[in-house]
Amino acid sequence: MSQQPSLLDASSRVVDVDIAGRMEQAFLDYSMSVIVGRALPDVRDGLKPVQRRIAYAMWEAGLRPDRPYRKSASAVGDVMRKYHPHGDSSIYEALVRMAQDFSFRAPLVDGKGNFGSVDGDGAAAMRYTEARLSPIAMELLAGIDEDAVDFVPNYDGYESQPVALPARAPNLLVNGASGIAVGMATNIPPHNLGEAIDACLKLIADPTATVDDLLRIVPAPDFPTGARILDTPGIRDAYLTGRGAITMEAVAATETRSGGLPRIVITEIPYQVNKAALLSKIADLVKVKKLDGIRDLRDESSRDGMRVVVELKRGEDPGRTLQKLYALTDLRTNFNVNLVTLVPAEGGGVQPRTLGLVEALRQYLIHQRAVLTRRTRHRRDKAAARAHILEGLLIALDNLDEVIALIRGSDTVDIARTELMRRFDLSELQATAVLDMQLRRLAALEREKIADEHRELLALIGELDAILDDPAKLDTLLADELREVKKRHADPRRSRIIRHGEPQADSSLAEAAAPALEAQGVTVYVTAAGYLKSVPARRISAVHNNDRDPVVAVLRGTTEDTVLLVDADGGGYRIGLGDVPVTTMRQRGTTVAQLMGEGPDAPIAGAVLLGPDVATVLTVSASGLVKRTDRAEYEGRTRVMIAAGVKDDDRLVAALACGDRDHVLLAHSAGLAVRFPASDVRPMGRGAGGVAGVQVPKDAQVVAASVVPGGGPGEGSASGAGMAAEVVTLAADGGARRTSLAEYPLKGRGGKGVQVGASAVAWCGLAADLHVPTAEGYVLLRPVEIAEGRRAGRLTAAVAAVTGPVTAEATPESG
């Protein structure tokens, strides 16, 4: 029996090494592992390894935009099991960030549930949230099953994973990246998808384009949280060298509360700024008296958007206070660009490099050309393989009797296959296809289908060969696909750029840049008694709920807009919305007399925002008279004026913005409506009475007037609004219906009109959110809620929509 070697004999297997060299090598190995395997994105698809593995694993699991959500824990488990053995928490954190619309400019994961907030709140546990891929993520994965990219074994060798995704969108720029490796870091800002693709198209058309050429297309990053970007030299430095500082600042507006108390409203904050920490910082500055003009601070943010209110003391200048906030808080901050990314190396693998904008896009286009070449070759080979099979089938069909006799005379399938190959010079694949051919393929029409498919495949192979042989055609295909991605997914820029006449030095930027107070979005309710209630704009307006003072107009605008109020006797009042105190819905508002020193003697009939896109103001009387007046006649130094001439026995019931190509739709209480071109009513002076718009019976009156935007010439047309536009009819008993505008034919003005399906009408006009006064108070009626979203004919019975009766005319939301 042999003896075990003694420990004393182990010296023969000891290898002397230099501890310093071994430590250096171990540190370099660890560094490259972190750099390549964790922290830095790849220039080709803009993803870190964990993000790429999440996207690919979710694609494999079928978590696509057109399929149901699945628990996030399912996706995390697949990623950890197959590709990323680093613990579930790191995977879920990456998945959460990919779903946050305030972190990614184009989120790659469509999340359902609590995925955190801009206040720094964490996401719910993965067992509570659900996720699937977003549509833009599918563009990154398009073609991955067509041999478009290389695959490598996973950590245990049982699976394979892509080295990089095909990435039909320039994701590195669109979503940016941040990460800290060993000895290096990256910080890439997000950009607008449309601008990034346009820059790619510029480089395809002109490979010699410079950074200044691309700056005309990509002027600055585009952050998901919006805010403003100051046009400083740091932007060009970042795009030229890959390093530079981009200055961001919050978007703020000023409001005036009741009693003349000013306030600052912050609606957008810089990217990666924690809103809760920002508010805490402002509060601390107030406590230590570095900000002495602030008396209150509130966060009124909701799902409708961000809204941070800074209440100021009486007499404080909002601009001066905002300038202090910019200087002392993160309302103005820098994004320090460090465009470090992994770039394919010549000898294989990747290496970290700092790139400018031009080189980053060139590397992306190199990847795209390789992807398209491989995908085209794959499709060509697949088409050639199918054409090869079809050629064998066509040969067999041309010699059908002999083929049948040969098969029947063979003892086994193998013998039949061998004889077919010998007799007709077929390949083994072709012979097998002939043997597998179904009897129905022997019909004449089936043979013609095979021949047609073969001809189509030959044509396709020719096209694919032309792409593979001609780099110009490959670039044309690449450009076309990029344009298609832009068409489907691009959206407007969120971050506005403030340009300065002369560049400012970074050190003095806070002092040199003037405070930028923007117009605040507001919804203005105008009532018959002459009250204006301006409330902060929300995605969905609240309901006016004063049944003793019906609302006559609901307008959406900004504090820089001007509104024209028209009363029933024809008086006009021009008021700047910046002069109207912003209140809550619980408050009644401010009267015209408080704002102008004098008020109307008659009820307000309507209101119009006098914007630059308003050509004329249309007024409508209860007896059916209509008049158009150029907007310019309501502008000037006079704020109180005659808006329209009105007969003693008549009154105005509506005032609307109207253009020459629009159509007008009028309805009266007896249940008839007429539609006619606005051009039938020539513009008149302010004091004119108007011309006949619709014939109104003796005991009826006009109850509704609508303008159909862009109504084109010809009966039944409405270009701009389109015949897809809908008309809502609300009867006095609370019944309602939605009807296509096509059922209201275009006629001349002054006619009787067509029946709207109700004998007593409270409203009939272009579909809009209606504020409906009833005996029980106001109701907000939305067209999509009528008849469960279904259209009905003009004379179809109405469905109950409002608990009637309706006590006064309904009012549509507009502006």
Side-chain angles (χ1 to χ4, degrees):
M1 185 175 66
S2 62
Q3 294 182 343
Q4 292 294 330
S6 169
L7 292 176
L8 298 176
D9 298 330
S11 60
S12 60
R13 298 192 299 276
V14 173
V15 178
D16 292 331
V17 297
D18 178 36
I19 186 65
R22 177 54 63 93
M23 288 293 291
E24 181 180 348
Q25 185 60 46
F27 181 76
L28 288 174
D29 292 343
Y30 167 72
S31 300
M32 289 307 298
S33 174
V34 174
I35 290 169
V36 175
R38 295 193 187 187
L40 299 186
D42 193 299
V43 71
R44 294 169 289 185
D45 59 12
L47 298 175
K48 298 178 184 180
V50 65
Q51 296 170 336
R52 185 180 305 114
R53 291 162 183 169
I54 289 171
Y56 182 62
M58 292 179 73
W59 179 83
E60 278 190 315
L63 301 181
R64 305 177 189 183
D66 57 346
R67 298 183 184 178
Y69 292 93
R70 292 281 302 276
K71 288 292 185 183
S72 300
S74 171
V76 171
D78 286 342
V79 176
M80 185 167 58
R81 177 173 62 88
K82 293 182 177 181
Y83 308 118
H84 199 77
H86 296 291
D88 58 349
S89 61
S90 62
I91 299 172
Y92 185 54
E93 287 172 6
L95 186 148
V96 165
R97 182 172 170 79
M98 293 167 71
Q100 292 174 337
D101 58 5
F102 54 87
S103 294
F104 271 40
R105 183 63 178 80
L108 302 181
V109 172
D110 178 10
K112 184 179 181 182
N114 175 18
F115 279 83
S117 74
V118 73
D119 288 320
D121 301 320
M126 68 179 101
R127 61 183 178 273
Y128 299 123
T129 62
E130 297 180 333
R132 63 186 179 188
L133 291 172
S134 67
I136 189 66
M138 297 303 295
E139 302 290 0
L140 301 187
L141 289 152
I144 199 167
D145 54 351
E146 296 183 282
D147 191 36
V149 292
D150 290 332
F151 279 71
V152 294
N154 71 334
Y155 66 93
D156 62 5
Y158 282 95
E159 304 281 349
S160 59
Q161 59 186 349
V163 172
L165 300 186
R168 290 182 61 189
N171 183 61
L172 180 73
L173 284 184
V174 172
N175 281 321
S178 62
I180 300 174
V182 179
M184 62 182 65
T186 187
N187 203 28
I188 305 171
H191 291 76
N192 183 270
L193 173 63
E195 293 176 355
I197 288 179
D198 286 342
C200 291
L201 296 175
K202 173 66 175 178
L203 275 178
I204 293 172
D206 180 12
T208 63
T210 65
V211 68
D212 292 316
D213 295 328
L214 297 189
L215 273 169
R216 299 187 185 97
I217 302 170
V218 185
D222 187 22
F223 298 107
T225 54
R228 280 189 291 254
I229 298 172
L230 302 189
D231 185 16
T232 62
I235 298 176
R236 187 177 186 277
D237 292 342
Y239 287 154
L240 181 63
T241 66
R243 295 177 182 271
I246 295 175
T247 303
M248 310 171 290
E249 68 177 24
V251 173
T254 182
E255 295 178 355
T256 303
R257 287 193 60 198
S258 302
L261 292 173
R263 60 165 58 153
I264 295 171
V265 179
I266 301 165
T267 54
E268 298 173 18
I269 61 175
Y271 182 54
Q272 294 180 334
V273 169
N274 185 309
K275 176 160 63 70
L278 175 66
L279 295 180
S280 179
K281 175 66 173 177
I282 295 174
D284 290 341
L285 291 171
V286 173
K287 286 180 182 179
V288 298
K289 301 190 181 302
K290 287 190 176 181
L291 290 172
D292 53 4
I294 297 175
R295 64 181 187 85
D296 193 17
L297 181 65
R298 274 192 322 280
D299 186 0
E300 297 180 357
S301 303
S302 67
R303 64 179 181 175
D304 295 317
M306 183 179 297
R307 179 179 168 85
V308 175
V309 178
V310 182
E311 299 278 4
L312 304 181
K313 297 176 182 178
R314 191 181 306 277
E316 285 292 329
D317 179 11
R320 184 168 172 270
T321 302
L322 180 61
Q323 192 168 9
K324 288 183 179 179
L325 288 171
Y326 281 154
L328 299 174
T329 71
D330 283 342
L331 285 180
R332 179 183 286 146
T333 186
N334 285 344
F335 186 99
N336 296 309
V337 177
N338 190 19
L339 213 162
V340 179
T341 183
L342 298 176
V343 179
E346 292 184 3
V350 292
Q351 61 183 7
R353 283 179 55 191
T354 301
L355 304 179
L357 176 64
V358 175
E359 185 58 25
L361 290 177
R362 280 179 179 157
Q363 290 290 338
Y364 169 73
L365 292 177
I366 290 172
H367 173 61
Q368 284 302 292
R369 291 185 178 102
V371 165
L372 286 183
T373 299
R374 292 181 58 158
R375 192 191 72 186
T376 303
R377 187 175 294 115
H378 173 84
R379 293 179 178 179
R380 193 264 180 215
D381 292 345
K382 187 176 179 180
R386 177 61 179 166
H388 180 67
I389 296 296
L390 294 179
E391 288 170 3
L393 296 180
L394 290 173
I395 291 173
L397 290 172
D398 288 341
N399 302 275
L400 185 58
D401 293 339
E402 187 175 354
V403 168
I404 293 174
L406 188 152
I407 295 173
R408 293 184 64 184
S410 301
D411 293 334
T412 65
V413 172
D414 291 338
I415 294 174
R417 182 183 297 109
T418 302
E419 287 300 313
L420 286 171
M421 294 168 61
R422 182 188 62 79
R423 173 66 184 83
F424 299 106
D425 195 24
L426 301 179
S427 69
E428 184 175 352
L429 288 174
Q430 289 174 321
T432 301
V434 171
L435 291 172
D436 292 339
M437 186 170 58
Q438 297 172 330
L439 289 176
R440 64 181 177 84
R441 288 298 186 98
L442 303 181
L445 290 178
E446 288 296 320
R447 188 195 185 286
E448 188 62 28
K449 286 182 181 179
I450 294 174
D452 289 343
E453 184 183 356
H454 184 251
R455 284 192 293 269
E456 291 173 0
L457 286 173
L458 292 180
L460 175 61
I461 291 170
E463 294 175 4
L464 297 176
D465 280 337
I467 293 172
L468 292 172
D469 294 338
D470 188 351
K473 290 187 176 180
L474 184 71
D475 278 354
T476 300
L477 176 62
L478 172 56
D480 289 343
E481 293 198 357
L482 286 172
R483 291 189 188 98
E484 186 64 27
V485 172
K486 176 185 174 182
K487 180 180 178 181
R488 284 200 297 264
H489 303 289
D491 59 2
R493 164 176 281 275
R494 297 180 191 174
S495 296
R496 283 146 289 178
I497 303 169
I498 298 189
R499 304 188 183 279
H500 295 276
E502 294 293 333
Q504 306 285 346
D506 288 349
S507 60
S508 60
L509 190 59
E511 294 76 21
L517 281 165
E518 293 205 347
Q520 172 71 5
V522 291
T523 301
V524 179
Y525 297 76
V526 182
T527 72
Y531 279 82
L532 282 78
K533 178 162 55 180
S534 179
V535 299
R538 292 286 188 266
R539 183 169 54 90
I540 299 176
S541 299
V543 182
H544 171 77
N545 209 17
N546 188 333
D547 53 4
R548 293 172 297 179
D549 185 14
V551 64
V552 296
V554 182
L555 307 171
R556 287 177 173 263
T558 73
T559 51
E560 288 184 350
D561 289 332
T562 300
V563 63
L564 172 70
L565 274 59
V566 179
D567 66 27
D569 290 341
Y573 306 85
R574 193 180 72 248
I575 300 172
L577 292 187
D579 298 329
V580 182
V582 177
T583 64
T584 64
M585 283 302 297
R586 293 190 300 273
Q587 296 173 290
R588 191 172 182 185
T590 309
T591 66
V592 175
Q594 289 175 300
L595 294 168
M596 306 189 67
E598 60 179 302
D601 296 325
I604 299 296
V608 178
L609 286 178
L610 297 178
D613 55 341
V614 175
T616 62
V617 174
L618 175 78
T619 54
V620 183
S621 77
S623 65
L625 296 179
V626 295
K627 186 202 67 160
R628 286 202 303 142
T629 303
D630 290 337
R631 183 193 75 231
E633 295 212 20
Y634 297 105
E635 297 173 336
R637 299 183 62 182
T638 304
R639 299 175 62 198
V640 180
M641 67 200 80
I642 295 175
V646 182
K647 295 181 180 179
D648 292 340
D649 59 347
D650 202 0
R651 62 186 177 88
L652 296 184
V653 295
L656 302 165
C658 186
D660 292 336
R661 298 185 64 250
D662 297 340
H663 290 171
V664 178
L665 179 65
L666 302 180
H668 60 68
S669 56
L672 295 175
V674 65
R675 180 162 71 100
F676 58 88
S679 56
D680 284 0
V681 184
R682 62 177 180 82
M684 309 173 191
R686 284 191 288 109
V691 294
V694 60
Q695 294 183 24
V696 181
K698 183 177 180 180
D699 296 330
Q701 63 178 7
V702 173
V703 293
S706 294
V707 171
V708 183
E715 181 173 344
S717 69
S719 61
M723 296 317 298
E726 295 179 331
V727 173
V728 170
T729 302
L730 178 65
D733 62 2
R737 72 176 61 78
R738 290 167 52 201
T739 307
S740 170
L741 180 64
E743 297 208 21
Y744 294 82
L746 187 65
K747 303 290 185 181
R749 67 170 179 82
K752 291 183 178 180
V754 296
Q755 187 70 39
V756 301
S759 57
V761 176
W763 167 260
C764 177
L766 211 61
D769 289 355
L770 298 178
H771 295 256
V772 183
T774 71
E776 299 177 358
Y778 268 80
V779 174
L780 187 59
L781 179 64
R782 295 190 168 86
V784 294
E785 299 169 353
I786 299 174
E788 298 179 352
R790 294 192 299 272
R791 283 184 180 179
R794 179 164 47 84
L795 303 179
T796 304
V799 297
V802 176
T803 302
V806 178
T807 60
E809 295 91 347
T811 302
E813 184 169 332
S814 61

